[in-house]
Amino acid sequence: LHPQSVAGEPRTAQHRRDGDGGKHPCTCAHDTWDLHGQQRMESQGTARVDGCEAKKNRPNRHTCRNGTSHGRTRKEADRNIRHANERNVPSGTTQVHAVTVDPKPAQMSNSNEFAVQTLTTWLLNEERKGTIDNELVVVFSSIATACKQIASLVNRAGISNLTGLAGETNVQGEDQKKLDVVSNDVFCNCLRASGRTGIIASEEEDTPVAVEDTYSGNYIVVFDPLDGSSNIDAGISTGSIWGIYEPTAECRMDVNDADELVQNCIVNVCQPGSGLLGAGYCMYSSSTVLVLSIGAGVFGFTLDPQIGEFVLTHDNVKIPEEGKIYSFNEGNYASWDKGLQDYMAELKAPADGSKPYSARYIGSLVGDFHRTLLYGGIYGYPGDKKNLNGKLRLLYECAPMSFIAEQAGGKGST
């Protein structure tokens, strides 16, 4: 735009064709108005074309709405028009803005950086798809509540006098830590209160527990409330493990004899891992991570302490096809059989000269398994001369973890 008109009034970019009564308004980047609303012409290098002015011999010409061609670039014209709109236009003048339109307008994105999917919404979506029923949703939700409570207890163990031994041993012959006992109570209370479990079995209990009739449901839940509790005092990662079964036909709870009731509970609980409806674990470490499977893939959720919810962070986890980490307690190497010793030697020094495996061992099943799930490799606790069947429990640990491994594309065996 030119800074001043002849009459001293700031010029604008609007004008109308002389003699047409404003019927064909046009907006140009080079036209101006004086005080009387009369169109003024550029003094040099301009030509009038159909009521508009156009620069001669200028590249990048564009056409206004009324067919007038102008020798200004679109970028320059749009900029001048924006400036012109801020000025006063004489009364009775119609404004038509000739602006450059993007032929491919940007589309609104459906994603939202603040959108999160919590464990609750994920479970409800699975129920809607028919993968699980509402009863099982309640069971998983009650387990998640127990994990939140245990995570809080583990984080505050050092300042809440929850470290050290409880002075008792469990059915496995292990010394119970204080948090072992507390975590077991938390799990049992949450599962009873859900109203969806009929029998619960804990590694810390001598026998399975039949839930009272006032609360009882159908599902059977087996669990290790706090795996790796020997690491608690050192602040190393620990975790909870669980598996969920349906009741078997042999189970009869409508009996009055206590011994017969216990026997029915044991028969009902001791099912093969192939009968699992779902399984999972929760790791208490630098963050609290809950990993589960309902038979349709593996999904991981991280606890957000600000909102108190588990948020989906690991969608449809798959174990890498190749890994270079092994997790074994090599302190028992001398007690292993010859075949296992040779296998371990091959991992550390491959005969073909390939890169050897690296050793990583925490001493917490949940922590070692979680790393293997994400990075690949192999985890094992084989039997030795002292423990012929190893130290992992088939019901509470091996079966649920193998279920998760197979759902993630790996293998599990006993």
Side-chain angles (χ1 to χ4, degrees), residues 197-223:
T197 54
I199 299 175
I200 55 178
S202 169
E203 186 185 34
E204 303 299 329
E205 301 281 354
D206 294 339
T207 58
V209 177
V211 180
E212 294 84 349
D213 291 339
T214 54
Y215 296 102
S216 63
N218 295 321
Y219 290 104
I220 300 168
V221 182
V222 297
F223 57 92

Side-chain angles (χ1 to χ4, degrees), residues 87-362:
R87 305 172 185 267
N88 295 325
V89 180
S91 60
T93 301
T94 303
Q95 301 183 51
V96 179
H97 296 180
V99 296
T100 304
V101 179
D102 187 352
K104 295 182 179 180
Q107 296 181 351
M108 294 293 291
S109 175
N110 294 326
S111 61
N112 189 328
E113 60 178 318
F114 297 106
V116 296
Q117 185 173 17
T118 66
L119 175 61
T120 302
T121 57
W122 184 85
L123 288 170
L124 293 176
N125 287 336
E126 293 301 315
E127 178 194 1
R128 183 178 59 187
K129 292 188 293 186
T131 310
I132 56 177
D133 60 20
N134 179 261
E135 303 290 299
L136 198 54
V137 169
V138 176
V139 174
F140 273 109
S141 296
S142 65
I143 291 174
T145 300
C147 292
K148 292 176 187 178
Q149 295 184 41
I150 295 174
S152 177
L153 293 169
V154 170
N155 289 336
R156 302 182 69 252
I159 58 178
S160 300
N161 195 29
L162 289 175
T163 57
L165 298 174
E168 300 177 0
T169 57
N170 60 19
V171 67
Q172 315 297 337
E174 299 172 328
D175 292 331
Q176 287 183 315
K177 296 279 188 177
K178 293 179 182 179
L179 267 180
D180 282 326
V181 178
V182 175
S183 300
N184 184 65
D185 291 341
V186 169
F187 247 92
C188 290
N189 291 339
C190 288
L191 289 172
R192 284 193 180 101
S194 72
R196 303 298 189 274
T197 54
I199 299 175
I200 55 178
S202 169
E203 186 185 34
E204 303 299 329
E205 301 281 354
D206 294 339
T207 58
V209 177
V211 180
E212 294 84 349
D213 291 339
T214 54
Y215 296 102
S216 63
N218 295 321
Y219 290 104
I220 300 168
V221 182
V222 297
F223 57 92
D224 181 355
L226 195 62
D227 175 72
S229 57
S230 60
N231 291 326
I232 292 174
D233 295 357
I236 301 174
S237 63
T238 56
S240 302
I241 308 170
W242 65 88
I244 303 174
Y245 293 91
E246 283 185 324
T248 61
E250 291 86 355
C251 179
R252 290 180 58 250
M253 305 302 297
D254 56 341
V255 295
N256 295 323
D257 183 63
D259 292 338
E260 185 178 355
L261 180 62
V262 170
Q263 185 62 34
N264 285 342
C265 288
I266 294 174
V267 171
N268 204 20
V269 165
C270 294
Q271 300 184 39
S274 58
L276 280 166
L277 296 177
Y281 63 85
C282 187
M283 182 179 68
Y284 314 113
S285 185
S286 58
S287 59
T288 300
V289 181
L290 186 150
V291 177
L292 62 82
S293 175
I294 54 175
V298 178
F299 300 84
F301 302 81
T302 301
L303 180 62
D304 184 344
Q306 292 187 338
I307 62 175
E309 291 284 351
F310 283 103
V311 176
L312 180 64
T313 52
H314 300 76
D315 189 12
N316 198 18
V317 180
K318 295 296 181 183
I319 298 178
E321 294 185 1
E322 295 184 1
K324 286 297 181 180
I325 297 175
Y326 71 93
S327 297
F328 285 76
N329 184 359
E330 291 193 86
N332 298 325
Y333 180 87
S335 300
W336 293 339
D337 58 43
K338 183 65 167 55
L340 182 57
Q341 290 178 343
D342 292 342
Y343 174 73
M344 297 303 297
E346 176 67 18
L347 289 179
K348 293 183 287 187
D352 59 0
S354 60
K355 185 178 180 179
Y357 275 61
S358 298
R360 299 288 188 275
Y361 187 73
I362 300 174

